[in-house]
Amino acid sequence: MRCLVIEDDPTLSDQLAQALGNAGFVVDRATDGEQGEYLGATETYDVAVLDLGLPVMPGIDVLTHWREAGITMPVLILTARGDWSDKVAGFRAGADDYAVKPFRLEEVVIRAQTLVRRAAGHAQVVIREGALALDSQLGVITRDGAPLKLTAFESRILTYLMHHRGRTVSRTELSDHLYDAASDRDFRSIEVVIGRLRRKVGEGLISTIRGEGYRLGQPVAAGRASRG
């Protein structure tokens, strides 16, 4: 999953990026509203963490511009303690949730994870598909109750597929949600990792839909899927 953090306090920005990264997010950062608004409008994110008190462009304006442009990614706003007017303005502009400063980093991580899960259509913390189960808060994926041994990249791919189980996910969509803005996108690496994941999750659970992408779920109709 990919997260955009827009926070001008360098210490807090570092702390948020580390906490979210430890939870499995790929994190891009911006230190002012103008830069953050641009990244949110030109890159693909699963969630944004947006401070309202930003230089250059206020956070409310950033959020308003996104929503006016039809950008629907979940947004968690950061507000000052006791400033109820900021919260109201944030929700009216299209925010999905908020955290009040000072906050525990774990709170922001859990709220971000919850927004991602709900945006994908899952009400429960644990997402299941066959013998697989993803605890979306702990970031643990099990098969028949036993934790899978996954690399960080394998975990990111499988987590995204679990959130979007039953739907074909294109290679481009996967790469958009696996890499940060500074990274080179490598479709071949994704293909290799998908092959490894098939052996770990059980044959037939991850299908390659020719010309379209990958699908996690029960096997699709013959003639449309392959194992390559």
Side-chain angles (χ1 to χ4, degrees):
M1 299 296 172
R2 192 174 174 197
C3 178
L4 174 61
V5 173
I6 310 176
E7 170 58 60
D8 63 313
D9 183 306
T11 299
L12 181 55
S13 178
D14 287 345
Q15 291 171 341
L16 286 167
Q18 182 174 355
L20 289 160
N22 290 341
F25 283 95
V26 175
V27 181
D28 286 333
R29 290 193 279 174
T31 57
D32 64 63
E34 186 173 77
Q35 180 189 25
E37 192 275 338
Y38 175 78
L39 283 173
T42 58
E43 297 286 338
T44 302
Y45 297 99
D46 295 287
V47 65
V49 177
L50 172 66
D51 185 21
L52 294 186
L54 293 169
V56 184
M57 180 187 295
I60 289 293
D61 291 352
V62 172
L63 181 53
T64 299
H65 291 173
W66 285 344
R67 296 311 191 220
E68 289 177 346
I71 297 168
T72 60
M73 67 178 168
V75 176
L76 170 67
I77 57 174
L78 306 179
T79 70
R81 178 179 294 278
D83 199 341
W84 178 247
S85 62
D86 273 358
K87 300 172 196 174
V88 172
F91 280 119
R92 286 177 174 169
D96 298 275
D97 199 357
Y98 71 92
V100 178
K101 296 180 180 179
F103 47 71
R104 293 181 64 87
L105 293 171
E106 294 85 353
E107 175 191 356
V108 173
V109 171
I110 289 174
R111 289 181 181 276
Q113 291 169 328
T114 300
L115 289 178
V116 170
R117 185 183 77 245
R118 289 177 178 170
H122 303 290
Q124 302 299 319
V125 171
V126 178
I127 302 170
R128 302 181 185 277
E129 180 60 44
L132 295 181
L134 164 67
D135 186 316
S136 60
Q137 288 186 354
L138 296 179
V140 175
I141 305 175
T142 60
R143 178 185 177 189
D144 293 322
L148 287 173
K149 294 181 179 180
L150 303 171
T151 67
F153 196 59
E154 288 172 347
S155 181
R156 290 204 299 270
I157 290 180
L158 188 53
T159 294
Y160 192 83
L161 292 177
M162 285 289 287
H163 274 84
H164 300 278
R165 60 188 176 82
R167 179 172 72 79
T168 300
V169 176
S170 71
R171 292 176 178 85
T172 298
E173 179 181 343
L174 259 183
S175 68
D176 283 345
H177 291 267
L178 292 172
Y179 298 101
D180 61 30
S183 298
D184 293 329
R185 312 297 170 89
D186 186 353
F187 286 179
R188 179 57 186 163
S189 293
I190 293 175
E191 293 172 3
V192 170
V193 173
I194 289 287
R196 294 204 305 261
L197 283 173
R198 283 198 178 95
R199 294 189 290 272
K200 294 184 178 184
V201 306
E203 292 293 334
L205 197 58
I206 300 177
S207 303
T208 297
I209 313 301
R210 292 191 181 93
E212 297 181 33
Y214 306 104
R215 179 182 181 276
L216 187 145
Q218 297 305 310
V220 297
R224 293 197 66 214
S226 72
R227 293 173 53 195

